[in-house]
Structures are given as C-alpha cells and as structure tokens.
Amino acid sequence: MASSVVVTIETEKSQSQAGYDLKLGADKDRENVKALENWVRGISGGNHRAKVSIQTGANAPVAASATATLASCVSDTITIGGITFTGTGSPTTELHFETDGDDTADAAALAAAINAHSTLSKVVSASSAAAVVTISCLIPGVIGNFFTLSETGTTITVSAAALAGGTGGAQEAVQTSEMGL
C-alpha cells in the first residue's frame, strides 16, 4: 500500500536563491535528491534558517476534478474558482473562449482558455474530449474539492458545484521543527 510523505520547508531565502542553492535539473533524479540532502544538512547544521514540517498520510493524494459539457454553446458562462469564462464568437480577453456551435471545437476552446489563463492555469488544468471539458486541480489532495464550479444559461452543464474526488494530502501526522525562525 502506497503512502505519502510531504516535506515543507519555509525559508527566509527567496525562491530564486533557494533554486540556485538546490541547482535542480530535469531528468537528474539522483543529483536532485543529493542537492536536497545537502541543503537540508545545511539547515540542520545551522547554515540556513528554516521551518520544516513533515506530514505523513496513509495514501498518496488524488487530485479533484469535474466536467463541463457543452451543448450548442453561444454566449453562456462557466465560473471556476471565482473566475468566469464567457463563450463568444469573437474572443477579446483571456476570459473569453470561442464558440461557433460545434460542441467539440467549443469544448477545445474552453479547455485552451482555462489552460492559458494567467492565474487559474497555475492551480487547474483542462482537457477536452468531444463536447466534454475535464477540469483537474494541479494540487493533489482534498484542497481541490474547494474549487467552486458553476454555469449560467442552459448550454453548459457542470458535473457538480465544486471539483470533487480529491483525497489524501490531509495532515494525518505532522511534526514541525523550527530551525532559527
């Protein structure tokens, strides 16, 4: 049975400084783990100030998701986590998605608009198949279940009032160590 361990390190360093210290690289798993090990040794040795929280869970977290089904959409809206997207024949902002009555094309346009949104795309992703858009939280665990979902009009139908199915990631056991903060 799989379980999860989440380690959160809060440091006074900026994100760019921490990234520079860690020097993480794609496809360099062993080197990345070694860099993290050295960085944590620096914290425990007093070279860096940090707050370290370790959470364990019985199961690996699962991301929440939901669907939106389009049926001859023209100008209806869908709201995801407080951000509203409007179907239109002539999109002019990142809050518009192109509609022309072809459900498959409209669903693809909505998914693309969600994935291109400047802030929402950092917490959810979207994909489409035929007339259905699947919206998934990028953060696994119960947190995704709090992203509200609604529509106006009759041409977009959402599967629930919020993303659903996110499990795990909750604090089952937590140990926090403050190292100089």
Side-chain angles (χ1 to χ4, degrees):
M1 178 160 103
S3 65
S4 64
V5 176
V6 178
V7 177
T8 303
I9 301 172
E10 294 178 45
T11 178
E12 58 189 11
K13 292 187 174 204
S14 70
Q15 182 178 0
S16 62
Q17 287 174 320
Y20 177 79
D21 288 351
L22 289 169
K23 297 178 183 114
L24 301 177
D27 299 322
K28 295 185 176 186
D29 296 337
R30 200 171 292 278
E31 291 89 347
N32 290 343
V33 170
K34 190 68 172 166
L36 180 60
E37 176 187 6
N38 289 333
W39 202 60
V40 171
R41 283 180 195 250
I43 293 169
S44 66
N47 297 332
H48 312 293
R49 294 166 32 127
K51 178 180 175 183
V52 180
S53 298
I54 302 170
Q55 301 173 349
T56 61
N59 297 306
V62 174
S65 64
T67 60
T69 304
L70 283 67
S72 302
C73 184
V74 179
S75 62
D76 287 348
T77 67
I78 180 171
T79 302
I80 306 163
I83 296 175
T84 302
F85 293 91
T86 303
T88 179
S90 301
T92 57
T93 75
E94 72 174 346
L95 296 173
H96 293 154
F97 65 98
E98 186 168 9
T99 57
D100 65 6
D102 177 333
D103 297 336
T104 300
D106 296 348
L110 174 58
I114 293 167
N115 292 333
H117 190 271
S118 59
T119 55
L120 190 61
S121 64
K122 292 173 177 46
V123 289
V124 300
S125 67
S127 61
S128 67
V132 178
V133 176
T134 300
I135 304 153
S136 301
C137 185
L138 294 174
I139 307 161
V142 296
I143 190 74
N145 297 338
F146 294 97
F147 276 88
T148 58
L149 194 62
S150 64
E151 82 283 337
T152 61
T154 59
T155 63
I156 302 174
T157 304
V158 296
S159 61
L163 300 185
T167 61
Q171 297 179 353
E172 294 183 21
V174 177
Q175 175 64 46
T176 301
S177 305
E178 295 192 25
M179 310 295 281
L181 282 182

